[in-house]
Amino acid sequence: MRPRATKRQKKTKSEQSRNWSIFWTLATCLVIPLLLVLSVEFIQRGNFNETWIWFVQNPKLVAMNAILDLLVLLIIYVLAGNLLISVSLTLLLLCTMSFVSFFKLKLIGEPFFPWDIFLNKESMNILPLVANKSALLRIGTMLGVVLVLFALSFKLPKLRMRIGGTRIVLGVLTVAALYSFGVNAPWASRIMDRMGANEIVWNQSENYGNNGLALAFTMNVKNAIVPKPAGYDDPSMAILAQSLMDQNGGVQTASAKMNKVNGVKPNVIFVMNEAFWDPTLLPGVEFSQDPLPTVHRLQQESTSGYLLSPQFGGGTSNVEYEVLTGQSMSFLPAGSVPYQQYISKPLPSLAGYFEDQGYKSKAIHSYEGWFWNRENVYKQMGFESFMSKDQFHNPQYKGDFISDEEVSNSIIEQVDSTDQPMFIYAVTMQNHGPYDDNRYGTNAIQAEGNLTPDAKNTLETYTQGAYDADASLQKMIDHFTETGEPTVIVFYGDHLPMLGYDYDVYTQTGFIPSSKSEQWSLEDLKRMHSVPFVTWSNIDLPMEQVPTLSNSFLGAYMLNHMGMELPATLAYNEELSRKMPGMLRNLVVDADQNLYSSVPDIFKDDVNKYQLLQYDTLFGKQYLAKSIDSRYLQPTVMPNYNQEFADPAPEDVDNSLSASGDESP
């Protein structure tokens, strides 16, 4: 018979077991974060050699990323209570973030930001872009590792954390530490500085590449809060208001009465065509026919030029925001989305401006109304109605989206159905990427050049969509030429198209020298953010060539071009655009087309005023409205917003009455 273990032996065995648990817990908490950093960076960079070089050459930055990953692991450990399960969940969370960052960088040149978490359904729009064999293999591998770790948690020692005061205290301290790093508390800032953190706000792809995903993501948390600019207070804004009045002849309500163009109020139609750009700008590529005959003709006959877009490959709503409000993305955190983050109250815009002049302001978009929160934002901007995908009746589709021709048909129908002059802001969807889906079958326009078969196919599919966009513009021109109804059309793209991963078509044709944006010159950067815009009108307007113009200046430019009276803030935009027509976060273009990586000293005072005007309107206390343009600067939503779509159409009422057997006399 085996002798029974004494109490002392049991106690010794229990102590040994506890000591081993402590040892393995500490070892796991030291080793796993380093492995997490290595895994996350490998996924984000997509190249193990590049990852290993960064890992070896930057021990302090690696340690800082490991500390942040450890804090995440500890928070999950406190909640789950099982160490291996916590490791599995932490791996799943961090690697998912890394995958999102990898695909965003490949597609649109931007990494994963804290505010991307709030995109909700918009994020589903990228699923078709990542559903390829390589991407699915990477994702499958990650899920496989997570499942193995999860299964091992049932076989290996549990390494549980007991419920009690220690667990609660650890959880509170860990959350507090992670929060401190996120908001850049003084003690946390000192630690990050000693670890070599160097935030590069103006180039986020470089920021993530240099600092690592966990650290760069954490440093961006504080950027979700837009700080008050230096000098923003009531007295300073009163002085600025007076200077604006002096520049505008002392007029306090510049938008009180709009000047008519040639004695009439023309319809004003802005068409922002999805990813519209000129593929004939690609060097060494020839097309079987001109893909943009209308645009190329208008570039010779009417006011036209190039808009400097704050986006590439995506982020359409940010371009809308700049055009409609006259405000600049340059003053907001990199990667932010104002439609999602900041617009929750009435905001001055072109829509409200035109409504105040007796126009009917209408937004049209051939996609879901909830996308980018448009249905709520357009209401705050003063539109009278918003026609989204659901209000298109039996539309024609090309590929997965409603065709550009249908958008033109809707614009024509809206203008013809009312005696009021209309301001229409239309956003198309047909030519949304990716372009490797052969959505048009056999493309009518062929491209020839030094391209791989996949790149050639992508370019031809995109070009076919651009050709259709050009034709949709011509359809509107033909209609208003025939009717003679006074109309002004402004047609442009929101950003350059995403033509394959890693700027594939652009690099193959030599349009840019490298897929790495940090290696681009200022000329390359400008080239990758310049989209053509053209205008057409059947009223007498001057013709101008505009080599560069930021989207935020377009509204003011067109109002001035049409001889309309500008509110003081838009008048300031127009004045600034004459000195400095182009401004992105990391690119400034002056009137002589000189390029700068940041605002030169000569323009800093002007830009500071621009920033103060924007902050006062978007985040501040609207001090400016006390002195000037109160109707424009303190707008209200239209009380009848979307009422026309809330009421049933006449034919629906008739059908309903007939179905119930109740017929009208």
Side-chain angles (χ1 to χ4, degrees), residues 99 103 107 126-136 139 501:
F99 272 118
F103 288 119
L107 296 171
I126 70 166
L127 287 181
L129 307 179
V130 302
N132 58 58
K133 185 176 180 180
S134 175
L136 292 176
I139 295 171
Y501 286 121

Side-chain angles (χ1 to χ4, degrees), residues 70-113:
L70 174 61
L71 292 175
V72 174
L73 172 60
L74 289 176
I75 290 173
I76 295 176
Y77 189 21
V78 166
L79 294 173
N82 183 306
L83 186 57
L84 272 179
I85 289 178
S86 300
V87 171
S88 302
L89 294 176
T90 304
L91 177 67
L92 180 62
L93 173 64
L94 296 179
C95 287
T96 298
M97 291 173 57
S98 188
F99 272 118
V100 173
S101 193
F102 170 79
F103 288 119
K104 277 195 68 184
L105 283 165
K106 289 290 185 184
L107 296 171
I108 61 175
E110 290 184 347
F112 180 59
F113 296 111

Side-chain angles (χ1 to χ4, degrees), residues 120-317:
N120 301 321
K121 291 181 281 189
E122 287 84 356
S123 60
M124 300 300 291
N125 197 49
I126 70 166
L127 287 181
L129 307 179
V130 302
N132 58 58
K133 185 176 180 180
S134 175
L136 292 176
L137 180 62
R138 290 167 179 263
I139 295 171
T141 301
M142 177 195 70
L143 293 176
V145 173
V146 170
L147 289 175
V148 168
L149 288 173
F150 192 79
L152 288 174
S153 68
F154 294 97
K155 300 291 186 181
L156 297 177
K158 304 299 182 183
L159 300 178
R160 294 186 182 277
M161 183 182 295
R162 294 180 180 179
I163 297 175
T166 303
R167 185 168 173 178
I168 294 173
V169 170
L170 178 61
V172 171
L173 291 176
T174 305
V175 170
L178 196 58
Y179 174 81
S180 297
F181 282 115
V183 299
N184 202 30
W187 71 267
S189 178
R190 286 193 294 271
I191 291 176
M192 289 191 290
D193 288 343
R194 289 172 182 172
M195 289 296 196
N198 180 28
E199 187 174 13
I200 309 171
V201 177
W202 57 93
N203 189 332
Q204 288 290 345
S205 62
E206 186 176 348
N207 190 32
Y208 278 60
N210 288 1
N211 292 298
L213 185 143
L215 178 54
F217 183 91
T218 302
M219 289 192 294
N220 267 314
V221 169
K222 68 181 183 304
N223 293 332
I225 302 171
V226 180
K228 181 173 68 174
Y232 178 73
D233 53 36
D234 197 353
S236 297
M237 294 306 294
I239 294 172
L240 180 53
Q242 184 61 51
S243 70
L244 293 178
M245 283 193 290
D246 293 342
Q247 291 171 7
N248 289 279
V251 179
Q252 294 190 20
T253 53
S255 62
K257 184 177 180 181
M258 185 191 73
N259 294 334
K260 295 180 180 179
V261 180
N262 297 334
V264 298
K265 291 182 177 180
N267 302 303
V268 179
I269 301 169
F270 279 58
V271 179
M272 189 168 76
N273 193 275
E274 172 61 36
F276 184 80
W277 181 68
D278 187 349
T280 66
L281 295 175
L282 292 170
V285 178
E286 299 290 335
F287 295 93
S288 58
Q289 67 182 81
D290 185 354
L292 306 179
T294 302
V295 167
H296 288 158
R297 186 185 75 250
L298 291 176
Q299 286 176 333
Q300 302 300 317
E301 298 176 354
S302 63
T303 292
S304 62
Y306 286 88
L307 297 175
L308 200 58
S309 172
Q311 301 296 133
F312 171 83
T316 297
S317 70

